[in-house]
């Protein structure tokens, strides 16, 4: 019985302290109005993936061939508040490649060099504040007119951060429930008087 307790305690502590790496990969093609994405744990275990499209009402995320989720534009502000990220989630890698057309025209070369310069300057500032962060950017010129973006990010966190964020959300929901109960009770008192 004592061995089971020690093993479960060790595994629990390992879960809370061991770093979890979440890989996010995305590919955006402006001409096709599609963005493909994939989210994986440790680059091996796929959590979910699919593609998204921008429509008139909102953004549609196609997770499977038969299932899609629509985020309406008027509800996007509330969605952002619901998925608030805490300080415990640390960005570890940010790699981006922009592919643009116009390799035969001076304007295309100027746009590509401006994109590369802006990315390099931004990454230089970020690297001084976060020296552990792996930052890479690149620009590719093609002959055909296009605008494509490839992105890879890696985020690191641990079980302790997840449990703290989960506890915070539960406490917020509990406090809101208590406030609603108090408002309901006070409105019932006012009606009875």
């Amino acid at each position: 019985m004592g061995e089971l307790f020690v093993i479960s305690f060790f595994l629990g502590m390992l879960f809370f302290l061991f770093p979890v790496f979440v890989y996010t990969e995305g590919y955006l093609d402006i001409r096709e109005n599609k963005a493909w994405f994939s989210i994986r744990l440790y680059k091996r275990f796929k959590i979910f993936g699919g593609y998204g499209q921008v429509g008139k009402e909102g953004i549609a995320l196609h997770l499977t061939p038969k299932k899609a989720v629509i985020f309406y534009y008027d509800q996007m502000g509330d969605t952002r508040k619901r998925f608030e990220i805490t300080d415990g989630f640390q960005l570890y890698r940010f790699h981006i490649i922009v592919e643009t057309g116009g390799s035969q025209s001076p304007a295309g070369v100027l746009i590509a060099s401006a994109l590369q310069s802006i990315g390099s300057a931004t990454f230089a500032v970020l690297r001084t504040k976060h020296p552990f962060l792996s930052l890479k950017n690149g620009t590719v010129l093609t002959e055909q007119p296009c605008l494509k973006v490839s992105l890879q990010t890696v985020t690191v966190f641990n079980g302790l951060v997840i449990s703290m964020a989960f506890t915070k959300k539960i406490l917020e929901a509990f406090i809101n429930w208590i406030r609603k109960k108090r408002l309901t009770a006070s409105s019932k008192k006012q009606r009875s008087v």
Side-chain angles (χ1 to χ4, degrees):
M1 185 70 173
E3 292 174 3
L4 180 63
F5 175 75
V6 171
I7 291 172
S8 61
F9 178 77
F10 177 73
L11 290 176
M13 291 306 293
L14 190 64
F15 169 73
F16 277 113
L17 300 177
F18 194 74
V20 178
F21 291 88
V22 176
Y23 286 75
T24 306
E25 296 171 342
Y27 177 75
L28 171 69
D29 190 346
I30 299 294
R31 291 183 67 113
E32 288 191 30
N33 188 26
K34 284 187 180 180
W36 292 266
F37 63 93
S38 172
I39 299 175
R40 299 177 182 271
L41 285 176
Y42 301 107
K43 204 173 185 175
R44 300 239 187 264
F45 308 108
K46 185 176 178 179
I47 298 173
F48 62 89
Y51 69 94
Q53 286 183 303
V54 177
K56 293 179 183 177
E57 304 89 30
I59 299 173
L61 293 180
H62 300 269
L63 302 175
T64 65
K66 295 182 180 181
K67 182 179 179 183
V69 178
I70 299 176
F71 294 100
Y72 295 101
Y73 295 128
D74 56 347
Q75 298 172 351
M76 291 242 182
D78 297 335
T79 305
R80 188 182 50 141
K81 291 176 190 172
R82 232 181 297 149
F83 295 107
E84 177 183 322
I85 295 177
T86 64
D87 292 334
F89 294 85
Q90 186 66 49
L91 186 64
Y92 180 72
R93 179 185 300 160
F94 187 85
H95 295 180
I96 186 168
I97 297 173
V98 178
E99 184 179 337
T100 181
S103 64
Q104 304 299 324
S105 69
V109 174
L110 184 64
I111 289 170
S113 64
L115 288 172
Q116 184 70 29
S117 298
I118 290 169
S120 298
T122 304
F123 285 180
V125 171
L126 286 173
R127 191 161 283 141
T128 58
K129 292 183 180 181
H130 308 286
F132 59 87
L133 193 57
S134 171
L135 298 166
K136 290 184 184 175
N137 74 318
T139 306
V140 178
L141 277 170
T142 62
E143 292 181 9
Q144 296 84 16
C146 68
L147 182 56
K148 300 175 183 177
V149 179
S150 298
L151 175 74
Q152 182 190 53
T153 65
V154 178
T155 308
V156 181
F157 56 91
N158 59 20
L160 184 62
V161 171
I162 292 174
S163 64
M164 287 173 31
F166 186 67
T167 304
K168 178 184 171 190
K169 290 296 180 185
I170 288 174
L171 289 175
E172 286 175 357
F174 184 67
I175 290 169
N176 288 335
W177 179 75
I178 289 174
R179 286 183 183 158
K180 286 181 184 177
K181 285 290 218 182
R182 285 184 181 170
L183 287 174
T184 306
S186 65
S187 66
K188 285 181 180 179
K189 278 186 181 180
Q190 288 177 355
R191 278 190 242 154
S192 64
V193 174

